[in-house]
Structure formats: C-alpha cells, structure tokens
Amino acid sequence: MFIGHYAPALIAAAYQQAPRLGVLFVAAQLVDLAFFGFVLLDIEHLRAVPGTTVMNAMDLYDMPYTHSLLGSIAFAAAWAFVARVTRHGWPAAAIGAGVVLSHWFLDLLVHAPDLTLAGDGERYGLGLWNHPVIEMPLETAITAGAFAYYLTRTSSRTMAGRVSPLTLALALAAVQAINWLEPQPATTVDPVPMSQPLTALTAYVVLALLATWVARTRTPRVGPRVRTL
C-alpha cells in the first residue's frame, strides 16, 4: 500500500475540526517516515529479495518499532500528545492519531506476513501484493474515492483551488505508477542502497508539500469550526 495510505487523510481533511491536509499527509505516512529513517540509522532493516511478493521485492524482515501494532499505537499516541502540548484541541489530536494508526491496518491488507503485534512473534499480512488484479484496483478505488469525498466537501478559495487538487492527483498517480512498474532485482540486495529510503522519504515530503498547497486553496465545509493544526 502506497497512495492508499492517504485515503484516511483525504477523508479526515474534509472536516473543519481536523488538521489540515498537508499535516494529515504526514500523519498518514508517519510510520513509514520513521521506518525509512530507522533504515538509514541502521535501527530497522529491509532487503530486496526477488519474489518476496509478486508486486514488491522488499523483504521487510526487521521493523519491530514502526510496523508492529504496538509501535503504531505508540506513534499515534505521540502524535496526539504533541498536538495537545502545542495547544491544539482534542478533536484535531484524535483525528490525526487515527490517521497515523490507520497505516498499520492498511498495510495488513497488502503485506506478506511481516507485521507483528508487539515487535516479535507471529507475523501477519493478507498478502494482496501477491494478487495484483485485486490490489491495484482496490488501492486505486480507495484513493480515488477518498479524493472525491474531499473535493465534494471542500470549496475552492481561488482559481488555484481547482488546479492544486489536479496537481496532487497527478503526483499521486505518478508515484504509484513508479512503485508498481519498478522491476524486481535479479538477485538479492542486502542491504538496500541508501538511495532507496532517501527516494521514499523525498516522495513523502513532496506529496505532503503538494497537499499543503491544496489545503491553502480549499476550505472544508463539513462540521463545526474548531481550532486545528
């Protein structure tokens, strides 16, 4: 799951009590931002193994802190804590934390069994990356549906409010296409080159910046106005 992780952010951002879309894009990928950061710091690890799944060669064999359910809950709790310490309301803190936590459950759909409950022990994953004819339409539909929900429940402030969502949508489609079409390596690559986590982190930053632009050009019109991030 890549752009599908942004679906909860797009849905949540339609509400005035939620953090803004750019912030929620960070929340949606906070677990992966931490994971690739930990890979660079040699705290968690991945390798590329041909055939790990049909769609993805990443063997995510060591990620107890970021991709355990307990770890994801901890990241969500940390998000809520920071939101409250920085004097934002409980609705914004809870919505952001929910988006953070959604990452683990969306990964559960597509990952080979490599997710844990508490960092060790039995591993979970429904493995839809082994079934492209299911995973690709599903991820596309989840993201497109969430995007449509956001657009129909926000109003454009200026002409840019019509252009910015299209730009974001094209960027999401482009990075997802690259993710899907990237060929698997011919042999095992262990460890992966630093360029791989750096590329992923760059993509997350660019998409968050585009989402920030979208949020500045559109106004949510669902729900009561509450102070947000």
Side-chain angles (χ1 to χ4, degrees):
M1 190 71 67
F2 189 176
I3 64 170
H5 282 303
Y6 293 118
L10 287 159
I11 292 171
Y15 293 84
Q16 291 184 356
Q17 64 265 48
R20 294 194 176 189
L21 185 62
V23 174
L24 288 171
F25 261 46
V26 175
Q29 295 287 13
L30 182 64
V31 167
D32 273 353
L33 286 164
F35 170 65
F36 286 114
F38 284 179
V39 169
L40 291 173
L41 295 172
D42 199 31
I43 297 172
E44 292 187 330
H45 306 90
L46 79 158
R47 57 196 168 207
V49 179
T52 297
T53 65
V54 171
M55 296 179 66
N56 198 320
M58 286 196 304
D59 180 12
L60 304 166
Y61 68 96
D62 180 37
M63 46 183 191
Y65 306 112
T66 57
H67 283 74
S68 64
L69 179 57
L70 182 61
S72 295
I73 291 172
F75 277 102
W79 180 281
F81 175 77
V82 170
R84 290 296 294 146
V85 167
T86 53
R87 301 174 65 82
H88 295 97
W90 277 115
I95 290 170
V99 171
V100 172
L101 186 57
S102 71
H103 190 104
W104 192 89
F105 292 96
L106 288 169
D107 271 352
L108 184 66
L109 296 175
V110 298
H111 277 226
D114 53 29
L115 304 172
T116 63
L117 297 180
D120 200 1
E122 189 169 354
R123 294 174 179 256
Y124 301 89
L126 299 181
L128 288 186
W129 274 336
N130 283 316
H131 305 280
V133 295
I134 299 174
E135 198 284 332
M136 294 172 74
L138 177 63
E139 186 160 10
T140 301
I142 288 173
T143 310
F147 214 116
Y149 184 89
Y150 175 77
L151 291 177
T152 58
R153 285 160 176 78
T154 59
S155 301
S156 176
R157 294 178 177 177
T158 64
M159 182 62 69
R162 300 179 182 180
V163 176
S164 59
L166 176 60
T167 305
L168 177 59
L170 291 174
L172 287 168
V175 296
Q176 185 61 80
I178 292 170
N179 179 259
W180 280 339
L181 298 176
E182 181 181 13
Q184 296 206 11
T187 59
T188 297
V189 181
D190 186 14
V192 297
M194 292 182 62
S195 60
Q196 184 166 343
L198 287 173
T199 299
L201 291 170
T202 299
Y204 296 144
V205 170
V206 170
L207 292 173
L209 290 174
L210 288 173
T212 300
W213 178 37
V214 172
R216 289 177 176 174
T217 61
R218 300 188 67 85
T219 303
R221 50 187 172 85
V222 179
R225 183 176 296 277
V226 179
R227 185 181 179 184
T228 63
L229 292 173

